[in-house]
Amino acid sequence: MAERSTAAVDVADNSDDKSLTAQADQSTADGVAKNREQDTDNDEAQGSGGTERPEKASPPELHSGHKLARRYRLEECVTRLDGFSSWRAVDEKLRRAVGVHVLPADHARARSVLAAARSSALLGDPRFVQVLDAVEENDLVYVVHEWLPDATEMTALLAAAPLEPHDAYQMVSQISAAMAAAHREGLAHLRLNPNAVLRTSTGQWRIRGLAVNAALRGISSDSPQRTDTEAIGALLYAALTQRWPYENDAYGLSGLPKDIGLIAPDQVRAGVHRGLSELAMRALANDGATASRAEAPCTTPEDLVKAIGEMPRIRPPEPAFTAPPEYQRTTYQQGTYGRPAPHPGTTQPVPTPLPPLQTRTGKALKWAVSALLIAALGLGSWQLADALMDRGKSDDTQPTQTTNGNDDNGDKNKPAKPITVQGAQEYVAEGSPQAAGDVPKTYDGDNSTFWRTKRYNEGPKLAPYKPGVGIVYDLGSPQEISAASIGLRYPGDHTTVHLYATDSLSPSAPVNAAQQIGTATTSGTSLTVKASKTIKTQYVLLWVTDVPMAPQDDFSSAGYKQAITDVTFTG
């Protein structure tokens, strides 16, 4: 007999009938990183409680399309780790996307995962991603939870920039209040990190993986309230500084410099809100580290809620409205249209009409003006007729002129034409190459392939690690370059690209001695470099000197890096 929880099984369908797989692709699973390396590194980076070593339990042999309880169809495996796996799935009964954690029933943590899931489901707090089902069936234990396609991980938000003071204030207020409510019910998170915090499209902050994430990884703590409070402090610290408050890099963020200890956020980054900086330090108070003012550290989420309540409320920035251009009235408007509306209770003055020209002088003036107009019209007509007759004579006597299709105006209006790249080679100014074998992928016409740089710890400027990285393109013959369109893999602040004319695929002169064609900077995933002057060359060096902060991927961990997907030259 299958053992099912009664909590949150029959959940009303609040999604539409659109493709749930497409919706699910826009989100990530509940508290699970997208690759194993990041997930295992994060426990050490956060300093959570100890992790039990799981007994040897082979993961269930599941595959895409497999159904659980003839209802939950597995779509994509997000994580396979320590004997359990996490999936993006579809609830075919309610026609919506869900997430599923699956592990063998004989796994060392199976009992604790079921207990944690059922306790979390009974909480029913909308500030947490809800557990919908917790089941033991056919030698499997699986936990089904909500999937939020409109939510964005805090990891992705911080990859772009630190949060604004109001956003950081809202985040720490909502997360602290939610965790205080959970601890009042005897529930702890113990893995509260940027992967477990989401911001919805309406600006609400939600927490996923309450109790379940820690149970899946065998994490426990002798002081769970202190552990979760310190985790909230780390979230606020990262939101204010875009740095992780420990020496190890984690969640796409750089750690603090070694051997300097924990320093306040307003000493890491200029312009940080002083009150929020002190609040983060009070939550992170550990081994004697306190805020700059000797205030008591916060050791529970309830303490954080009280401390936030004592702070002056941080209001959102005033929206910037562009004033419409002032309405210009003309002399043709004789009615009320376009005039300002009268205030209630006031009498609108009626304009006095101009007196008509009824006197003898007025009549004489009208006749004089009429005579002048008639004379002017006659003179103009005579001059126009004379000009037309002279032009006719000129057309009979002068030879016909033809327009040369290759005149100057034709050159100026000539449309830009694409230039075919005949070959390319990575240019290495110093040190080792980046990805020399991937250079042809930048002009193969496929946006899914790319040439990438290595990961750097500081940026956006690559110096002093390297003066720059780049590729020399062979255009087959000397060509006039008007522009280059460049596709980039990673957005962010910022990417700078320069184009230089060189003498070969392996330039003999250094970059600073080459003739520059143009330069441009972007924070997006596409860039157009326009030529500042006309230069004719066969070889063009695409030289990258600045790259943005990008998150962890299949090739490297988070850091300053960039990849070029497609390059097109026009002449």
Side-chain angles (χ1 to χ4, degrees):
M1 292 292 292
E3 181 184 353
R4 286 182 178 269
S5 71
T6 57
V9 174
D10 296 326
V11 182
D13 183 11
N14 58 1
S15 62
D16 55 23
D17 292 337
K18 295 181 180 178
S19 170
L20 297 174
T21 301
Q23 293 177 357
D25 282 337
Q26 301 172 13
S27 181
T28 55
D30 179 6
V32 179
K34 286 194 172 182
N35 59 71
R36 306 175 201 171
E37 181 179 350
Q38 182 185 19
D39 194 76
T40 54
D41 288 344
N42 287 342
D43 286 334
E44 181 181 356
Q46 177 147 354
S48 300
T51 303
E52 301 172 5
R53 297 299 301 172
E55 296 180 3
K56 292 293 183 180
S58 58
E61 293 297 330
L62 303 175
H63 56 82
S64 180
H66 182 90
K67 285 187 183 180
L68 300 173
R70 291 185 293 182
R71 174 177 178 176
Y72 303 112
R73 186 180 75 249
L74 304 182
E75 293 287 320
E76 179 186 5
C77 183
V78 179
T79 294
R80 196 181 299 273
L81 181 70
D82 288 347
F84 74 89
S85 58
S86 298
W87 295 77
R88 172 174 55 82
V90 172
D91 182 350
E92 294 187 335
K93 181 178 179 180
L94 297 181
R95 298 177 59 81
R96 63 177 177 181
V98 293
V100 181
H101 302 306
V102 187
L103 66 164
D106 59 353
H107 193 285
R109 303 173 191 155
R111 301 293 99 194
S112 60
V113 169
L114 275 176
R118 291 168 180 172
S119 299
S120 177
L122 291 174
L123 180 63
D125 192 318
R127 292 171 292 192
F128 295 91
V129 173
Q130 298 295 299
V131 172
L132 306 177
D133 211 349
V135 181
E136 181 178 355
E137 183 179 62
N138 297 332
D139 298 325
L140 291 176
V141 168
Y142 56 89
V143 176
V144 183
H145 58 83
E146 281 185 296
W147 194 281
L148 305 177
D150 68 332
T152 305
E153 278 188 5
M154 188 173 174
T155 310
L157 297 173
L158 294 181
L163 298 186
E164 295 294 330
H166 177 260
D167 290 337
Y169 174 79
Q170 288 295 322
M171 183 276 295
V172 72
S173 300
Q174 295 179 33
I175 298 300
S176 299
M179 288 309 305
H183 279 281
R184 285 195 292 270
E185 299 298 325
L187 292 172
H189 197 291
L190 304 184
R191 273 188 57 82
L192 195 56
N193 55 50
N195 285 331
V197 177
L198 309 172
R199 186 173 69 182
T200 66
S201 58
T202 59
Q204 300 300 311
W205 294 87
R206 298 187 66 178
I207 303 170
R208 61 187 176 189
L210 178 66
V212 175
N213 280 4
L216 283 169
R217 292 162 179 81
I219 296 174
S220 61
S221 174
D222 294 333
S223 53
Q225 294 206 54
R226 182 71 196 92
T227 299
D228 283 343
T229 304
E230 184 174 343
I232 297 173
L235 290 173
L236 179 57
Y237 197 104
L240 297 173
T241 64
Q242 209 178 8
R243 299 287 292 265
W244 194 237
Y246 304 98
E247 290 186 353
N248 296 326
D249 298 350
Y251 313 106
L253 302 173
S254 300
L256 296 178
K258 298 184 184 300
D259 303 326
I260 68 169
L262 182 64
I263 57 177
D266 54 4
Q267 297 177 8
V268 175
R269 177 174 168 265
V272 171
H273 189 278
R274 179 68 181 275
L276 293 177
S277 175
E278 294 181 355
L279 184 66
M281 292 297 289
R282 293 177 65 185
L284 281 169
N286 195 1
D287 296 332
T290 58
S292 56
R293 296 190 315 203
E295 296 185 5
C298 298
T299 58
T300 68
E302 196 69 48
D303 289 345
L304 272 179
V305 172
K306 292 179 181 178
I308 294 169
E310 294 170 357
M311 289 176 54
R313 185 177 180 182
I314 301 176
R315 299 187 178 277
E318 293 292 333
F321 294 105
T322 303
E326 186 177 352
Y327 183 72
Q328 300 292 333
R329 295 184 59 205
T330 66
T331 56
Y332 293 101
Q333 292 174 312
Q334 300 298 327
T336 59
Y337 179 76
R339 296 179 184 175
H343 294 287
T346 61
T347 304
Q348 185 74 0
V350 179
T352 304
L354 296 176
L357 297 176
Q358 295 297 333
T359 62
R360 180 178 300 177
T361 304
K363 292 180 180 179
L365 181 60
K366 286 194 291 183
W367 281 109
V369 171
S370 300
L372 287 174
L373 288 175
I374 293 172
L377 287 173
L379 180 62
S381 300
W382 174 78
Q383 289 179 339
L384 178 61
D386 187 61
L388 289 175
M389 292 177 64
D390 290 343
R391 183 174 178 181
K393 293 178 182 178
S394 176
D395 291 342
D396 293 339
T397 58
Q398 293 186 5
T400 303
Q401 296 181 353
T402 59
T403 303
N404 185 2
N406 296 324
D407 60 4
D408 293 339
N409 290 333
D411 289 340
K412 292 180 181 178
N413 298 326
K414 182 172 60 176
K417 63 177 182 178
I419 300 173
T420 303
V421 175
Q422 302 298 326
Q425 178 177 304
E426 183 173 328
Y427 177 69
V428 182
E430 289 182 9
S432 59
Q434 306 295 296
D438 294 335
V439 169
K441 296 178 181 179
T442 64
Y443 58 94
D444 59 0
D446 185 356
N447 290 331
S448 64
T449 61
F450 51 85
W451 167 88
R452 60 186 177 85
T453 71
K454 295 184 183 299
R455 178 188 69 86
Y456 297 92
N457 293 327
E458 298 293 339
K461 189 170 292 296
L462 291 176
Y465 298 107
K466 280 184 177 290
V469 294
I471 301 171
V472 179
Y473 292 91
D474 180 4
L475 307 182
S477 61
Q479 305 278 352
E480 287 187 2
I481 307 298
S482 62
S485 298
I486 304 164
L488 304 171
R489 179 176 173 85
Y490 306 113
D493 183 20
H494 58 267
T495 303
T496 300
V497 175
H498 311 265
L499 295 183
Y500 293 94
T502 64
D503 54 1
S504 66
L505 283 175
S506 301
S508 57
V511 175
N512 55 14
Q515 189 174 12
Q516 180 167 288
I517 299 173
T519 184
T521 299
T522 185
S523 295
T525 56
S526 62
L527 177 65
T528 299
V529 182
K530 295 184 179 180
S532 57
K533 56 184 175 181
T534 303
I535 297 176
K536 201 168 188 179
T537 182
Q538 179 176 344
Y539 302 97
V540 178
L541 169 61
L542 188 153
W543 190 239
V544 182
T545 57
D546 300 70
V547 294
M549 167 62 74
Q552 178 171 332
D553 56 22
D554 295 337
F555 300 98
S556 61
S557 56
Y560 290 91
K561 56 186 176 180
Q562 187 54 277
I564 297 176
T565 60
D566 198 37
V567 176
T568 304
F569 295 99
T570 54

